[in-house]
Amino acid sequence: MSLLDEEGNQDESLESKTLSAEDQVKDHSTGTRVVAGQIFLESGKSDSQSENEENFHSQEEEKENSLEELNSIEMSNLLNKDLEEAEIQSPVLTAIGGTADGEPCHFPFLFMEKEYAECTADGREDGRLWCATTYDYKKDQKWGFCESEEQSNKRRQMQEAEDVYQIGMKILNESSKKAQKKVAYQYLLKAADMNHTKAMEKVSYALLFGDYLKQNIQSSKELFEKLTEEGSPKGQMALGFLYASGLGVNSSQAKALVYYTFGALGGNLIAHMILGYRYWAGIGVLQSCESALTHYRLVANHVASDISLTGGTVVQRIRLADEVENPGMASGMLEEDLIQYYQFLAEKGDVQAQVGLGQLHLHGGRGVEQNHQRAFEYFNQAANAGNSHAMAFLGKMYSEGSDVVPQSNETALQYFKKAADMGNPVGQSGLGMAYLYGRGVPVNYELALKYFQKAAEQGWVDGQLQLGSMYYNGIGVKKDYKQALKYFNLASQGGHILAFYNLAQMHATGTGVMRSCHTAVELFKNVCERGRWSERLMTAYNSYKDGDSNSAVVQYLLLAEQGYEVAQSNAAFILDQKEASIVGENETYPRALLHWNRAASQGYTVARIKLGDYHFYGFGTDVDYETAFIHYRLASEQQHSAQAMFNLGYMHEKGLGIKQDIHLAKRFYDMAAEASPDAQVPVFLALCKLGVIYSLQYIREMNIREVFSHIDMDQLLGPEWDLYLMTIIALLLGTIIAYRQRQHQAIPRPAGLRPAVPQQEPPPEHQPPQ
């Protein structure tokens, strides 16, 4: 299933899941529970809350008693009033045309010996809905239409659009081939032309990103505007993105904020995430940690509730700038040849290769698509060979259930027991889950605690997470927030999403720790960035590798709006290289500067150095050596960047943005050489140059005539020093004459074969080596 296929799930309305700002930051230390490692607000109340409830219930009882004391006349009046109000509120359907025009429809009515409780199209070839105005149609022949002809045509058109949309979605969901998906989008395009809202949403995003349809920003903008008029939160969010990034419209952060807000109010999770980042970073709004917490927490609740036992899909975050410098190293992607080699080993019975491929196909990532069928086959082969890890993962697959593996607690328990008996931490953790929730066995908190402790001792993150949950809730042990915090921290070091979520909840409410809004927001942001929309990172990367920079940059720009630092730096990189034609040439550097700045504020060293370079050379801004110096210094002090140290040395050497100081220049050059072995050669050359400059400066400052007057050449070189000097000059002269004669003896080159001398551009006057 493609990423666009998932967008219905990603942006679903929150409805009952939405909490108010006050509820979301309320202390829930005495009234919470953890389900599958997630902390949720509990229905249980504190003592003060229970007292309030008792008072409330006593007031309700008093009201009931007072009602019972009313006499029968007053009660009947109240009932009649209620009935009248109910009659007013319920709409009455009036027949249109037919034999009973203007008369109210009668429900139920009898037609062809069948009762109908609503309008029907039975008995009509044109499909128009009708009703009878008396009970027995056959007897009275009283009837009329439930809708006008215009309404009927519109309803039939919408039904036809829905049918076309469902055909398109069926093809889209059932096929993984690109050609089939393109066919599916032709159906969706047809449904969109018929004003089907969901089809318009899918088509508009496909046109924006160039997914299975040719990229067309202007057409997608028109669809987004149409969707916004209809109140679609997806359309509102996307239109906000266009105004924020200046794609197809003149950039306007004020309009972007308005559309993002409407999208968030409609329940769009991406809009909430964008607003969370904007309030956190102070982009277009006043910086507000509490507002950011509200938005991020709401999205994190959704992401955390969507996490499965198997952990979900792994998303690879690839930096384009790093990959250019070290091709293949920074991406973490497996080469096709390497995957085939592992497959060959697995077919030959290599158990480790089978388990490794099983995990790759179970979670996806590193260039391997998620495929539960292949994962199940590899795990089965390894489990039959006696591998405990494979047994444990089979247990997880059976416990979770999927289209390939039917859910079965009994089968899962058997595999978990086999793996746990062999000391496997994954099996021990799975067995602990079975005893904790009573899956295939009676609930036994003591055994659950025992198995989680065993798994946690071996460093398995699921065991650490569940152990933390038991201490947090006091299940099987005495409630202990400090222990819960310890195990959640350990699980977070292993990268478990729910561990980040639980830690965020504890810091947001001050449970077991000092309340810290800033820490909570950073943790919730981490959780939000693990949502399904993060799959767009790989889609954008694949678009870039396929040579479609326009599609890639739009996708990265949307992810950058959501606060993904890697997307901000990748969007800036593509703009910096001037590879995206959809952005005007005059706008590339200013936009790149904006996203380098956002990435740098999130701690990316290369982005900080790029900011220094942009201000040094005047790319997208005025030349400003002082600002460049500040950025280089920040990169040097905070991230210990050798490149930044080298540039600082150069600026001290030349006196750019700072007072010239050769001694400080040498110090920064030496620091750069110590920080990175790669900097040693350029540092050596820079120091040689610095030595020559220092010597010349020293000689210039001295009085040469006075120096030579104090030198006694006879004493320094001996009485025949002039003979030595003449001999050296004669040798040099002879060498030059011999060299010139050899040149004349060389065979002259034909005029037509003269090599072309490449024209070199003169170097800039002030340019630190990059």
Side-chain angles (χ1 to χ4, degrees):
M1 187 181 292
S2 72
L3 185 63
L4 281 173
D5 307 339
E6 295 288 344
E7 286 191 358
N9 298 327
Q10 294 170 6
D11 302 332
E12 65 182 12
S13 178
L14 298 172
E15 297 177 356
S16 61
K17 294 180 184 177
T18 306
L19 302 173
S20 67
E22 292 179 2
D23 291 337
Q24 291 186 14
V25 296
K26 171 190 304 182
D27 188 315
H28 60 274
S29 59
T30 56
T32 56
R33 61 191 174 91
V34 176
V35 178
Q38 305 164 42
I39 302 176
F40 290 103
L41 298 179
E42 182 66 91
S43 57
K45 310 295 188 298
S46 63
D47 295 338
S48 60
Q49 288 173 315
S50 59
E51 287 176 9
N52 293 336
E53 284 193 356
E54 286 175 7
N55 294 335
F56 175 77
H57 288 309
S58 62
Q59 291 171 5
E60 289 295 312
E61 288 174 5
E62 289 176 8
K63 287 181 182 177
E64 288 176 7
N65 293 334
S66 63
L67 283 173
E68 289 173 1
E69 292 172 2
L70 291 173
N71 57 41
S72 58
I73 297 172
E74 290 173 332
M75 287 296 292
S76 62
N77 288 340
L78 286 171
L79 290 170
N80 290 336
K81 187 177 179 182
D82 289 342
L83 287 171
E84 286 173 8
E85 288 178 356
E87 286 176 4
I88 292 169
Q89 290 173 1
S90 60
V92 178
L93 201 61
T94 305
I96 302 170
T99 59
D101 184 34
E103 294 183 20
C105 291
H106 187 286
F107 297 113
F109 63 88
L110 189 67
F111 173 67
M112 300 289 288
E113 299 181 357
K114 180 183 175 182
E115 282 193 346
Y116 291 85
E118 58 185 3
C119 297
T120 181
D122 290 356
R124 296 194 62 85
E125 293 181 357
D126 59 4
R128 285 186 70 179
L129 296 173
W130 65 278
C131 69
T133 57
T134 60
Y135 175 73
D136 193 339
Y137 167 79
K138 185 177 180 181
K139 176 184 175 184
D140 301 321
Q141 297 287 312
K142 292 281 189 178
W143 67 278
F145 293 111
C146 296
E147 57 188 359
S148 65
E149 190 171 354
E150 183 183 350
Q151 290 172 328
S152 176
N153 290 335
K154 187 176 180 181
R155 180 181 57 80
R156 285 200 298 272
Q157 184 182 358
M158 290 308 297
Q159 185 58 50
E160 184 183 348
E162 177 66 23
D163 294 340
V164 174
Y165 171 77
Q166 291 300 335
I167 292 170
M169 290 303 298
K170 188 172 186 292
I171 298 170
L172 201 61
N173 295 333
E174 292 179 357
S175 176
S176 59
K177 294 180 180 179
K178 194 171 182 179
Q180 286 294 313
K181 288 184 181 291
K182 285 184 177 181
V183 171
Y185 267 93
Q186 291 306 312
Y187 281 102
L188 294 176
L189 202 56
K190 184 180 177 183
D193 291 339
M194 298 164 75
N195 295 324
H196 190 281
T197 303
K198 288 184 178 180
M200 284 196 292
E201 289 174 348
K202 288 220 170 274
V203 168
S204 58
Y205 277 93
L207 289 168
L208 177 65
F209 298 133
D211 286 339
Y212 311 115
L213 293 174
K214 187 179 179 182
Q215 189 177 31
N216 190 325
I217 303 293
Q218 196 59 37
S219 296
S220 68
K221 170 186 160 283
E222 291 169 3
L223 279 173
F224 287 139
E225 287 175 338
K226 193 172 182 179
L227 286 166
T228 299
E229 289 174 4
E230 294 179 6
S232 164
K234 281 188 180 181
Q236 291 162 342
M237 184 279 294
L239 201 55
F241 163 66
L242 292 182
Y243 276 107
S245 55
L247 294 173
V249 294
N250 292 326
S251 179
S252 170
Q253 298 303 319
K255 286 185 178 180
L257 189 62
V258 169
Y259 285 120
Y260 284 149
T261 304
F262 278 116
L265 290 171
N268 185 275
L269 295 173
I270 292 178
H272 274 292
M273 196 171 167
I274 291 170
L275 287 175
Y277 175 68
R278 287 191 163 229
Y279 277 110
W280 183 64
I283 299 171
V285 291
L286 288 174
Q287 199 167 9
S288 170
C289 184
E290 294 297 337
S291 296
L293 179 64
T294 300
H295 289 289
Y296 271 131
R297 188 176 192 176
L298 193 145
V299 181
N301 288 339
H302 177 85
V303 174
S305 65
D306 198 36
I307 301 299
S308 65
L309 186 65
T310 52
T313 306
V314 176
V315 179
Q316 204 74 26
R317 302 189 181 202
I318 304 167
R319 298 185 191 280
L320 299 180
D322 293 349
E323 195 181 50
V324 168
E325 291 185 10
N326 303 298
M329 296 296 290
S331 69
M333 304 290 284
L334 291 176
E335 296 290 338
E336 185 64 30
D337 293 343
L338 191 57
I339 294 171
Q340 290 178 359
Y341 174 67
Y342 284 136
Q343 289 172 344
F344 172 76
L345 289 178
E347 289 170 6
K348 291 294 181 182
D350 188 304
V351 176
Q352 293 303 321
Q354 290 166 350
V355 174
L357 285 170
Q359 287 180 277
L360 276 174
H361 283 96
L362 178 64
H363 301 297
R366 302 198 70 184
V368 179
E369 287 189 7
Q370 192 174 30
N371 187 325
H372 282 189
Q373 180 65 49
R374 298 289 299 276
F376 182 72
E377 290 169 0
Y378 283 124
F379 284 141
N380 247 331
Q381 292 172 19
N384 291 335
N387 184 275
S388 62
H389 217 60
M391 293 175 189
F393 274 98
L394 280 174
K396 290 183 80 170
M397 292 187 76
Y398 275 108
S399 179
E400 185 71 23
S402 65
D403 295 337
V404 176
V405 182
Q407 202 281 333
S408 172
N409 288 332
E410 290 72 20
T411 310
L413 192 65
Q414 289 174 11
Y415 280 114
F416 284 143
K417 278 183 176 177
K418 286 180 182 178
D421 290 341
M422 297 170 72
N424 185 277
V426 186
Q428 291 165 346
S429 178
L431 208 51
M433 292 288 286
Y435 281 112
L436 181 63
Y437 296 109
R439 296 172 181 170
V441 289
V443 172
N444 189 324
Y445 294 141
E446 289 183 8
L447 282 175
L449 184 70
K450 171 188 166 185
Y451 283 114
F452 287 143
Q453 284 175 334
K454 286 184 175 181
E457 285 168 5
Q458 296 187 62
W460 182 241
V461 289
D462 282 341
Q464 293 164 342
L465 176 77
Q466 298 303 333
L467 200 55
S469 300
M470 293 187 79
Y471 275 111
Y472 186 93
N473 291 284
I475 299 173
V477 289
K478 186 180 178 181
K479 190 177 288 189
D480 188 337
Y481 293 133
K482 296 295 181 187
Q483 285 290 94
L485 187 69
K486 170 191 168 184
Y487 285 111
F488 287 152
N489 271 320
L490 286 171
S492 70
Q493 289 169 18
H496 204 299
I497 305 176
L498 295 180
F500 288 115
Y501 176 80
N502 292 345
L503 284 172
Q505 291 282 27
M506 293 182 78
H507 282 92
T509 57
T511 307
V513 290
M514 184 72 72
R515 185 179 187 274
S516 172
C517 176
H518 184 78
T519 305
V521 167
E522 287 189 337
L523 289 165
F524 276 133
K525 181 175 182 289
N526 195 321
V527 175
C528 294
E529 290 181 1
R530 310 286 188 93
R532 288 190 177 274
W533 39 79
S534 62
E535 293 173 23
R536 175 67 63 189
L537 284 169
M538 280 307 300
T539 313
Y541 174 75
N542 290 330
S543 296
Y544 181 76
K545 296 303 283 186
D546 292 340
D548 192 352
S549 296
N550 286 335
S551 174
V553 79
V554 172
Q555 295 176 75
Y556 279 133
L557 285 171
L558 177 58
L559 291 163
E561 280 288 297
Q562 292 173 244
Y564 285 89
E565 178 270 306
V566 68
Q568 291 166 348
S569 59
N570 285 352
F573 176 82
I574 295 173
L575 292 169
D576 180 79
Q577 300 295 310
K578 295 190 174 181
E579 294 176 332
S581 59
I582 58 170
V583 180
E585 190 174 347
N586 295 331
E587 297 178 10
T588 51
Y589 281 138
R591 293 191 185 192
L593 179 65
L594 172 71
H595 287 96
W596 283 131
N597 192 29
R598 291 182 183 178
S601 66
Q602 297 199 62
Y604 184 39
T605 309
V606 173
R608 181 66 67 188
I609 295 170
K610 280 286 186 181
L611 283 176
D613 293 346
Y614 273 47
H615 285 94
F616 189 95
Y617 295 114
F619 292 162
T621 183
D622 295 330
V623 173
D624 188 344
Y625 295 132
E626 288 80 5
T627 304
F629 183 85
I630 290 169
H631 285 300
Y632 290 142
R633 191 179 65 190
L634 285 172
S636 169
E637 293 174 354
Q638 295 176 1
Q639 285 100 20
H640 306 289
S641 166
Q643 179 71 65
M645 293 171 186
F646 188 91
N647 292 354
L648 285 171
Y650 182 86
M651 295 185 79
H652 275 293
E653 178 190 327
K654 294 291 184 182
L656 302 172
I658 194 73
K659 184 180 177 182
Q660 187 175 20
D661 191 327
I662 291 176
H663 300 286
L664 275 176
K666 181 180 183 306
R667 180 185 169 194
F668 277 110
Y669 284 142
D670 290 337
M671 287 170 62
E674 290 174 7
S676 172
D678 295 337
Q680 289 177 359
V681 173
V683 164
F684 173 76
L685 296 173
L687 287 174
C688 290
K689 176 188 171 189
L690 197 63
V692 171
I693 293 171
Y694 179 76
S695 301
L696 291 172
Q697 185 177 344
Y698 179 76
I699 292 169
R700 193 183 300 118
E701 291 173 356
M702 292 180 65
N703 191 332
I704 304 298
R705 186 175 297 175
E706 185 180 343
V707 171
F708 277 104
S709 67
H710 289 85
I711 296 176
D712 185 353
M713 299 299 288
D714 290 340
Q715 187 178 355
L716 185 66
L717 300 175
E720 288 91 14
W721 64 270
D722 51 345
L723 294 175
Y724 300 149
L725 182 61
M726 289 173 64
T727 305
I728 292 169
I729 292 171
L731 287 171
L732 287 172
L733 188 61
T735 305
I736 292 168
I737 292 169
Y739 177 72
R740 293 297 297 272
Q741 283 179 346
R742 184 176 295 178
Q743 272 194 328
H744 286 300
Q745 290 173 2
I747 299 171
R749 189 184 299 271
L753 298 176
R754 289 177 184 170
V757 180
Q759 295 181 353
Q760 297 182 351
E761 295 182 3
E765 183 180 353
H766 302 304
Q767 179 170 347
Q770 297 299 311

